[in-house]
Amino acid sequence: FTVLLGALLLRERVSGRAALGVAIAVMGLVLVGVTRATGGSWWPFLLVVLGGLGWSLGILAARQAAAPNPLHLTMWMSVVPPLPMLALSLAFEGPERIASSLTTSLSADAVPAWIGLAYTVLIGTVLGSGVWVWLMSRHPAGRVAPFSMLVPVSGLTTAWLALGETPQLLELFGGVLVIGGVLWASLRRRPMEPSPTTQALPHTAGHR
């Protein structure tokens, strides 16, 4: 989404190499998504896709803002989301579950939740989003955005190592496609060095 919207809205040029790499990575994501969706409902998969669309619009908006301090922009971007998230929590979880979680938040059972919250706030939001905004403000979207496709691959790997969720064969193949596509899209082709004969031509012509 970020590469396509960057080309359509910001008129950023997408090279053939980057387009091919993104296409290969998208094929890998489709394999991962289809494998996950066949085991349950399609709604979670569609919500993730729509979330990616909204995320890409936010990233392009941050790129256009060209903030001199990306960390400050990230902190201001974190002011608004708690309001709709609280409304969604009230709608789907209800005030009773929210009150129960608050009353038990200081117990030993809540320690993993606090660790997860600290990781989300400090590593995922402040550090991760800050670095991402900094990269997007200094490089074309087509060069930086493909690396976001590594998120589901890292998620599958972490779930495999930490939770014992063994991925299926198609998911592994899809992850390989994603990694290969991202690497292909991000690597630059080196310019061809002129041969000694070509370098000597101007010198020879000058003597003539």
Side-chain angles (χ1 to χ4, degrees), residues 38-60:
T38 52
S41 174
W42 281 89
W43 281 109
F45 180 67
L46 293 178
L47 288 175
V48 170
V49 172
L50 292 177
L53 175 61
W55 182 82
S56 64
L57 290 173
I59 288 297
L60 291 178

Side-chain angles (χ1 to χ4, degrees), residues 75-115:
M75 299 301 292
W76 278 109
M77 289 167 57
S78 303
V79 172
V80 179
L83 300 178
M85 294 300 293
L86 177 60
L88 289 173
S89 180
L90 287 171
F92 288 95
E93 298 175 337
E96 294 182 359
R97 293 185 62 183
I98 295 176
S100 175
S101 64
L102 290 177
T103 55
T104 58
S105 60
L106 298 180
S107 63
D109 295 335
V111 172
W114 283 109
I115 295 175

Side-chain angles (χ1 to χ4, degrees), residues 27-36 38 153 156 160 165-178:
M27 290 175 56
L29 286 179
V30 169
L31 283 178
V32 174
V34 168
T35 306
R36 285 282 171 171
T38 52
V153 177
L156 287 174
W160 190 1
E165 298 181 1
T166 304
Q168 300 182 23
L169 184 60
L170 280 180
E171 289 179 314
L172 292 176
F173 181 66
V176 171
L177 285 180
V178 171

Side-chain angles (χ1 to χ4, degrees), residues 2-13 56-57 59-65 136 139-142:
T2 307
V3 175
L4 293 177
L5 292 176
L8 293 175
L9 302 179
L10 304 182
R11 299 294 188 268
E12 293 186 350
R13 180 179 175 272
S56 64
L57 290 173
I59 288 297
L60 291 178
R63 172 174 171 77
Q64 289 298 98
M136 288 293 294
H139 301 282

